[in-house]
Amino acid sequence: LHVHIWHSGSFSYHSFFVSFLQVTMRERLSLWAVFCLLVAFLPSQTESVAVMSVDLGSEWMKIAIVKPGVPMEIALNKESRRKTPVAVCLKENERLFGDGALGVAVKNPKVVYRFLQSILGKTADNPQVAQYQKHFPEHQMQRDEKRGTVFFKFSEELQYTPEELLGMILNYSRGLAQDFAEQLIKDAVITVPACFNQAERRAVLQAAHIAGLKVLQLINDNTAVALNYGVFRRKDINSTAQVSSVSANATIVTYQTVKTKESGTQPQLQIRGVGFDRTLGGFEMELRLRDHLAKLFNEKKKSKKDVRENLRAMAKLLKEAQRLKTVLSANAEHMAQIEGLMDDIDFKAKVTRSEFEALCEDLFDRVPGPVKEALADAEMSMDEIDQVILVGGSTRVPRVQDVLLKAVGKEELSKNINADEAAAMGAVYQAAALSKAFKVKPFLVRDAAVFPIQVEFSRETEEEDGVKTMKHNKRILFQRMAPYPQRKVITFNRYMDDFVFYINYGDLGFLSEQDLKVFGSQNLTTVKLSGVGSSFKKHSDAESKGIKAHFNMDESGVLILDRVESVFETIVEEKEEESTLTKLGNTISSLFGGGSSEPTANVTEPVTDEEEVTPEAEKDQERSEKQEESAQEKPEMEEGKEGEPQAEEQKDNKEDKAETQGETDAEKAEKPEEKSDGDKAEEKEEDKKPKPQKKSKISEDITVGLEVNDVLDPSTEDMEVSKKKLQDLTDRDLEKQEREKILNSLEAFIFETQDKLYQDEYLAVVTEEEKEQITGKLSEASNWMDEEGYAAGTKELKEKLSELKKLCKAMFFRVEERKKWPDSLAALDSILNHSTIFLKSVRLIPESDQIFTEVELKTLERVINETMVCNNPPNHHHHIPVSFIFPHEPLQNRTNPPPHSYAEKVIPPKSDDAEEVKPAEEPPTAEKKDDEPILELNPAENTDTDLTDGSKSENHKGDEL
């Protein structure tokens, strides 16, 4: 802040301005203190602003972030790579992730866990678990008797579930994102395969919870790709549906603009069909290539042992097979080679692309299957598809592209999207849209449920001949490819006592026999209701409207039973007239939330229980539901509106009443006060008519007991144990990292300081005694490091480093001071010359025009002389800190604006546990005489010429010449 002060004649504005400035600044400081106090109690707006996405693949994961100023960017890992292997290494004393874990897998595959996605949410008897054990025989997998799932036995004391291992990986991905964003991140969107069922989705959510992540949404990877594709082609989307096929496995997507109440016309994508093959992918190709390399090695017969029995050798072959698959995508042949594969025997063999394709011939034949399946789901043909977009790492294999091109019958396949990063970028866009910290352009997403879900229940019925039978009923909640998020309500209207119903998957006939085995249990949940009978007894005088169960398939595709309630309806008499106060209250309540609730984004469809269900009725129901989904019109009923026709009727009655009341008031105003006998007779007849009635809704919550039938979720206690287990590992890793950091710092300090003691700039500022003392301490510390320092604890290492820094602090400070002397002394000489010329010029001004007093000029002359004495001889400069070199109160600011200060304050280095090194004492200045007057430029400003007053020199820094 530069303040220019003008001086004219005998009147000085300086005193007035400074006085005003001081008062104003006091007021501002008081207000500023109050403001800071208020801000201290406000929540931090910068805390956890950034959001992230994790494209969680079976082999690789990609992480993307959005933070203020950085829209949608892939986060690099510690190796500066854009994708990270989904792998974790558990050693006895440390954990490694990503590429570090894969490096250990070649040496010790027993401690490295990867490809965990295939066994998430699976029971021990699932074929996928047996397949995993076959691929990775080095791991000890055991059955969890409590949940029926599996866990990895790491040692006698430690065991880890797949969810815990995935939680470690997700926590690591969060750390990478935070390092890249340079701030805390809590919110994330995670991609999962579209073929994941309810148990698998819950397992991913459990892993994220263990990792401390708040999952905004689980988004299907195909949907994330489709969103990324649509976001960057927003302008090309119109009201006509454009159809694209995304091959991840295979997905049919339509893009079109739709009208919304909240945001007007917006683009929307809808998933119309999904086809998948769980066991078809790049990993299966790599395994076959690995086995082929093992066969080639055995055929050479350089070792009597079978390489397939050596776990370390097979891990090396798998790593080479992964590299070979990538190279053969661009080359017709390549040489596979591994040094010291087994028994110090090197392996080298040529593999051609034709050999690789022959190994995977049956896999390539299965590629068109998901495409046909997706087209069947969408009820479309390839002629209706506008574009076929390739996504996924395996689509780079030339044979896969040839088979796909032949299957879709198109001239070419679109490759205008990043196959590796599209899912991560689409997911992070959704994360920004769901986060409250960012505002993005709306892009509506209507995902689809791949597996149908239905409700089943049994009830005893009596036939015409009096025979009682048990009738099994089914009600479809969500059809295959039904859009979500969506809410639905099913009404049981023939139960008057406690009962049980079941939530299961619907018809899974579209899955193969092998896929059904991998899918697992088709039964989801048993729901036991209690309190139904007591609710009927409590409201015996009311009419029952059934037992309503509210279901919600949320944004993550997870089905939730929100609540179950018993609904009754009673008739109450309505008052004929309402007072003005009551009318006003009703009007206000309708304005502020009364009446029917507004429609939400989630669709709620009632599913009413019927006693008799014929096959024809079921077909009609399915046909009508498909027509509703294809039309994409308004939902039948929206959340909160079931049972609200009474509210609408009540509103209509109030309107009618208001009109009637208005007419009565008008008639009273027109008619005379006295009424005729005929009018009195009519009034008596109206009194005899029944009073108007209205219906009132009563709901009673029903106690719900849930019994999971597919894969039992871990209990709250188990989740806490898992979180503590992971936190202990994280604390151990952090402590190890801190110790290594301190150890490296101590080593570096010893070696660097020993070297500095022989440099000229350090020799110039230390005495022989100081040098000998520092050298002795450094040698002592170096010997201590060799003998016991590498095994010492973090605290001991910190103390040793702090002791050495304290010893060398004064030396380092003096060296830094000497580095600044040349520039500072040159500036001082310039100021002295300038000040001398200025003083001579002022002396030449006639006394009548002089604006300075004689006292002021003498003071300036004294300061110049004293400074010249301090500046000579130059060999005493090392006693004077740079911050005290310059004179502090020149007078030139009265005639010219003050230039920038040449002074640079040097602050000695500080440490928490070392004493502060005081600067060397400066040379004495001329003592003030008792009778010398105190120099006052103005009543509001005092001038202190004492060079030792560092604080005052800071206050007048802007006035230096």
Side-chain angles (χ1 to χ4, degrees):
L1 177 63
H2 295 280
V3 181
H4 299 275
I5 304 173
W6 291 269
H7 188 283
S8 175
S10 61
F11 180 77
S12 174
Y13 294 93
H14 185 265
S15 176
F16 168 76
F17 182 83
V18 172
S19 301
F20 171 77
L21 184 63
Q22 288 177 345
V23 175
T24 307
M25 288 302 294
R26 278 196 296 268
E27 294 177 352
R28 288 183 178 179
L29 287 173
S30 300
L31 292 174
W32 181 253
V34 174
F35 175 75
C36 291
L37 187 62
L38 291 174
V39 170
F41 291 98
L42 292 177
S44 174
Q45 298 298 319
T46 60
E47 182 182 357
S48 189
V49 173
V51 294
M52 64 178 288
S53 70
V54 183
D55 177 21
L56 191 63
S58 58
E59 186 174 359
W60 302 92
M61 66 179 176
K62 278 74 68 177
I63 305 161
I65 66 162
V66 170
K67 72 171 186 176
V70 181
M72 296 174 59
E73 186 171 347
I74 294 292
L76 305 181
N77 60 18
K78 295 180 180 179
E79 292 78 20
S80 297
R81 300 181 63 186
R82 299 175 72 86
K83 63 179 182 179
T84 304
V86 181
V88 55
C89 169
L90 296 176
K91 290 185 177 181
E92 292 183 359
N93 297 322
E94 66 176 338
R95 287 184 302 173
L96 297 174
F97 297 91
D99 294 297
L102 290 187
V104 177
V106 178
K107 301 176 181 178
N108 187 8
K110 291 183 179 181
V111 297
V112 180
Y113 303 90
R114 46 188 172 154
F115 295 98
L116 300 168
Q117 196 184 71
S118 59
I119 56 175
L120 285 174
K122 303 286 195 307
T123 55
D125 57 353
N126 193 293
Q128 201 81 11
V129 175
Q131 189 74 2
Y132 185 92
Q133 184 70 79
K134 180 182 177 182
H135 291 158
F136 303 100
E138 60 270 16
H139 297 319
Q140 297 185 34
M141 300 177 66
Q142 296 185 4
R143 177 187 176 88
D144 185 350
E145 299 298 336
K146 184 177 180 181
R147 295 180 56 205
T149 55
V150 294
F151 62 84
F152 295 94
K153 187 176 181 181
F154 182 69
S155 65
E156 293 296 332
E157 298 80 15
L158 288 177
Q159 58 191 32
Y160 298 101
T161 65
E163 291 82 5
E164 290 173 344
L165 295 175
L166 183 60
M168 297 180 194
I169 295 172
L170 289 176
N171 190 41
Y172 174 72
S173 69
R174 177 188 178 187
L176 292 178
Q178 290 181 157
D179 292 343
F180 193 79
E182 297 179 342
Q183 61 176 283
L184 182 67
I185 297 180
K186 295 180 180 178
D187 300 339
V189 169
I190 303 175
T191 69
V192 294
C195 60
F196 263 25
N197 57 27
Q198 294 292 308
E200 291 168 311
R201 292 175 187 271
R202 295 200 309 269
V204 176
L205 291 174
Q206 292 158 12
H209 181 69
I210 293 172
L213 275 175
K214 177 185 177 183
V215 179
L216 300 175
Q217 179 182 347
L218 294 182
I219 186 171
N220 293 336
D221 50 13
N222 57 348
T223 307
V225 171
L227 178 58
N228 177 251
Y229 181 82
V231 163
F232 291 100
R233 291 159 182 81
R234 182 185 296 266
K235 295 180 180 179
D236 300 332
I237 301 174
N238 51 40
S239 57
T240 304
Q242 301 173 354
V243 187
S244 297
S245 174
V246 179
S247 177
N249 288 299
T251 306
I252 309 296
V253 188
T254 58
Y255 297 93
Q256 66 181 120
T257 55
V258 295
K259 291 183 178 180
T260 62
K261 294 181 179 179
E262 297 83 5
S263 307
T265 302
Q266 298 295 340
Q268 172 185 278
L269 73 86
Q270 181 171 358
I271 305 298
R272 300 294 299 277
V274 175
F276 59 89
D277 189 332
R278 281 180 178 265
T279 58
L280 178 62
F283 182 54
E284 186 64 29
M285 299 177 188
E286 293 165 3
L287 288 173
R288 297 192 179 192
L289 197 52
R290 179 199 66 176
D291 294 340
H292 176 67
L293 295 177
K295 180 182 176 183
L296 293 178
F297 179 81
N298 287 335
E299 287 175 353
K300 294 181 182 294
K301 296 183 179 180
K302 292 185 177 182
S303 174
K304 297 180 180 180
K305 301 177 183 178
D306 188 350
V307 70
R308 289 171 293 187
E309 296 178 358
N310 190 306
L311 299 178
R312 180 181 297 182
M314 292 300 287
K316 292 180 180 179
L317 288 173
L318 179 60
K319 183 178 180 179
E320 181 64 13
Q322 292 170 342
R323 186 186 70 86
L324 201 59
K325 186 194 76 170
T326 304
V327 175
L328 289 177
S329 297
N331 300 275
E333 61 181 35
H334 190 68
M335 189 68 67
Q337 50 188 351
I338 304 173
E339 294 183 4
L341 176 59
M342 186 177 68
D343 296 337
D344 294 330
I345 301 173
D346 297 338
F347 170 66
K348 190 174 183 180
K350 185 176 72 173
V351 181
T352 63
R353 183 189 293 176
S354 58
E355 290 176 338
F356 170 61
E357 292 177 351
L359 292 172
C360 306
E361 189 67 34
D362 60 322
L363 297 179
F364 297 138
D365 293 340
R366 288 159 54 184
V367 169
V371 177
K372 297 176 181 178
E373 192 177 312
L375 289 171
D377 288 343
E379 298 181 351
M380 292 182 179
S381 64
M382 280 305 306
D383 297 335
E384 300 175 76
I385 304 299
D386 298 325
Q387 294 187 60
V388 179
I389 305 162
L390 288 180
V391 178
S394 298
T395 56
R396 294 192 180 94
V397 177
R399 183 63 182 278
V400 172
Q401 297 181 12
D402 295 340
V403 173
L404 273 176
L405 192 62
K406 183 179 179 181
V408 300
K410 299 290 183 181
E411 295 182 359
E412 63 178 357
L413 301 174
S414 299
K415 302 176 184 178
N416 52 357
I417 194 170
N418 190 322
D420 276 336
E421 300 175 0
M425 298 298 279
V428 82
Y429 186 90
Q430 185 71 356
L434 295 174
S435 173
K436 296 179 181 179
F438 302 95
K439 185 177 182 181
V440 301
K441 291 184 178 180
F443 202 109
L444 307 180
V445 178
R446 286 173 65 84
D447 213 326
V450 177
F451 306 111
I453 295 178
Q454 63 188 15
V455 170
E456 301 180 22
F457 52 94
S458 300
R459 184 172 53 249
E460 188 178 57
T461 59
E462 187 174 350
E463 303 293 339
E464 295 180 357
D465 55 0
V467 179
K468 294 183 178 180
T469 59
M470 291 296 294
K471 184 175 181 61
H472 190 68
N473 298 275
K474 297 179 180 180
R475 295 291 176 270
I476 296 177
L477 273 179
F478 296 96
Q479 290 279 1
R480 173 162 160 76
M481 304 311 299
Y484 72 82
Q486 187 176 172
R487 296 177 183 271
K488 285 198 175 183
V489 178
I490 183 169
T491 302
F492 303 92
N493 52 19
R494 296 183 181 274
Y495 284 98
M496 297 182 66
D497 206 347
D498 299 350
F499 65 99
V500 177
F501 67 90
Y502 307 90
I503 306 172
N504 299 325
Y505 290 105
D507 182 16
L508 300 179
F510 58 91
L511 296 177
S512 65
E513 183 177 352
Q514 180 63 25
D515 287 339
L516 278 175
K517 293 179 180 178
V518 173
F519 186 85
S521 174
Q522 299 184 34
N523 300 323
L524 281 171
T525 311
T526 300
V527 182
K528 299 179 180 180
L529 302 182
S530 57
V532 177
S534 59
S535 68
F536 275 87
K537 292 178 182 178
K538 184 177 180 180
H539 304 283
S540 57
D541 56 342
E543 179 185 358
S544 173
K545 291 297 180 180
I547 310 299
K548 294 184 181 293
H550 297 256
F551 294 90
N552 174 29
M553 183 169 283
D554 62 14
E555 292 83 355
S556 300
V558 177
L559 182 65
I560 301 171
L561 177 58
D562 280 340
R563 68 185 189 279
V564 179
E565 58 182 359
S566 182
V567 182
F568 300 91
E569 194 174 76
T570 59
I571 299 176
V572 297
E573 292 185 356
E574 188 178 20
K575 296 180 181 179
E576 293 184 9
E577 294 185 3
E578 292 180 302
S579 65
T580 305
L581 209 56
T582 306
K583 289 183 193 175
L584 183 60
N586 291 335
T587 305
I588 293 175
S589 64
S590 64
L591 287 174
F592 293 95
S596 60
S597 62
E598 294 182 0
T600 61
N602 296 342
V603 180
T604 304
E605 298 182 3
V607 183
T608 308
D609 177 353
E610 301 292 342
E611 186 173 0
E612 297 288 339
V613 182
T614 61
E616 293 77 6
E618 286 187 351
K619 290 180 180 179
D620 293 340
Q621 182 184 2
E622 292 178 6
R623 194 179 301 112
S624 62
E625 290 184 357
K626 286 183 179 179
Q627 290 174 355
E628 292 168 6
E629 294 172 7
S630 60
Q632 298 184 12
E633 295 178 351
K634 297 180 180 178
E636 292 181 11
M637 187 177 293
E638 297 176 352
E639 176 60 18
K641 288 195 174 181
E642 59 273 10
E644 285 190 1
Q646 298 88 343
E648 294 177 357
E649 292 174 8
Q650 181 179 353
K651 182 179 178 182
D652 295 337
N653 292 338
K654 288 181 180 179
E655 291 175 356
D656 294 339
K657 252 186 252 175
E659 292 175 4
T660 306
Q661 186 68 27
E663 292 174 1
T664 305
D665 293 340
E667 290 171 0
K668 286 182 180 180
E670 293 175 0
K671 293 182 180 181
E673 294 181 2
E674 295 182 2
K675 299 180 181 179
S676 61
D677 296 337
D679 293 334
K680 291 180 181 179
E682 289 178 3
E683 287 181 0
K684 290 180 181 179
E685 291 179 1
E686 289 177 359
D687 291 340
K688 295 179 181 179
K689 292 180 181 179
K691 295 182 179 180
Q693 296 177 337
K694 68 175 182 179
K695 297 178 180 179
S696 176
K697 174 186 170 182
I698 302 174
S699 62
E700 188 85 15
D701 288 338
I702 302 300
T703 303
V704 179
L706 299 178
E707 182 180 328
V708 179
N709 296 326
D710 52 355
V711 177
L712 188 65
D713 294 334
S715 63
T716 306
E717 293 77 11
D718 292 338
M719 290 293 288
E720 292 301 321
V721 170
S722 297
K723 291 174 69 174
K724 185 179 184 305
K725 193 187 301 183
L726 264 65
Q727 187 60 47
D728 291 342
L729 290 174
T730 302
D731 293 342
R732 187 192 68 181
D733 292 345
L734 292 175
E735 184 179 353
K736 183 175 182 294
Q737 292 172 11
E738 184 183 7
R739 183 188 176 279
E740 290 176 350
K741 183 178 178 181
I742 295 296
L743 182 63
N744 293 334
S745 299
L746 179 56
E747 282 184 319
F749 187 86
I750 293 173
F751 295 139
E752 290 176 4
T753 308
Q754 285 176 335
D755 182 63
K756 287 176 181 178
L757 286 174
Y758 294 95
Q759 298 176 9
D760 293 339
E761 59 179 350
Y762 285 87
L763 290 174
V765 298
V766 295
T767 63
E768 285 297 328
E769 183 180 352
E770 285 179 311
K771 180 181 176 182
E772 185 177 348
Q773 182 185 9
I774 294 174
T775 303
K777 288 291 184 180
L778 291 175
S779 299
E780 182 184 338
S782 180
N783 295 332
W784 177 83
M785 287 287 296
D786 294 336
E787 294 175 1
E788 52 184 291
Y790 292 101
T794 305
K795 183 179 179 182
E796 194 173 357
L797 292 171
K798 280 184 177 181
E799 291 175 352
K800 185 67 69 173
L801 179 60
S802 176
E803 180 183 350
L804 293 178
K805 283 184 175 181
K806 181 179 178 180
L807 177 65
C808 303
K809 185 176 181 180
M811 178 182 69
F812 292 148
F813 173 64
R814 291 197 294 269
V815 169
E816 291 299 319
E817 286 282 293
R818 285 181 63 87
K819 289 179 180 179
K820 294 182 173 67
W821 285 348
D823 293 338
S824 301
L825 293 174
L828 177 59
D829 290 338
S830 176
I831 291 175
L832 287 173
N833 293 333
H834 196 176
S835 301
T836 304
I837 295 172
F838 171 75
L839 181 60
K840 290 180 180 179
S841 301
V842 172
R843 291 287 190 185
L844 297 176
I845 299 175
E847 187 175 353
S848 58
D849 297 331
Q850 186 63 261
I851 62 175
F852 299 105
T853 66
E854 186 64 24
V855 175
E856 292 173 334
L857 296 177
K858 285 184 178 181
T859 303
L860 177 57
E861 183 178 5
R862 179 170 56 82
V863 171
I864 292 173
N865 294 331
E866 291 172 352
T867 305
M868 287 182 176
V869 171
C870 292
N871 196 28
N872 291 296
N875 59 344
H876 291 291
H877 287 153
H878 66 274
H879 295 295
I880 307 174
V882 173
S883 56
F884 296 126
I885 285 179
F886 303 104
H888 305 289
E889 194 62 46
L891 305 178
Q892 195 181 4
N893 64 334
R894 293 201 189 177
T895 56
N896 296 316
H900 292 288
S901 172
Y902 292 97
E904 180 178 2
K905 187 173 183 180
V906 177
I907 301 176
K910 294 183 179 180
S911 60
D912 296 336
D913 50 356
E915 295 180 0
E916 183 177 355
V917 179
K918 297 182 179 180
E921 294 182 4
E922 47 199 325
T925 58
E927 297 181 359
K928 291 183 181 179
K929 297 180 181 179
D930 295 338
D931 57 347
E932 185 177 358
I934 298 176
L935 179 62
E936 290 187 3
L937 296 180
N938 284 293
E941 183 178 14
N942 294 333
T943 302
D944 190 350
T945 59
D946 187 359
L947 293 179
T948 61
D949 193 345
S951 62
K952 292 185 179 180
S953 69
E954 285 293 314
N955 294 337
H956 298 290
K957 200 179 241 187
D959 292 337
E960 294 175 7
L961 291 179

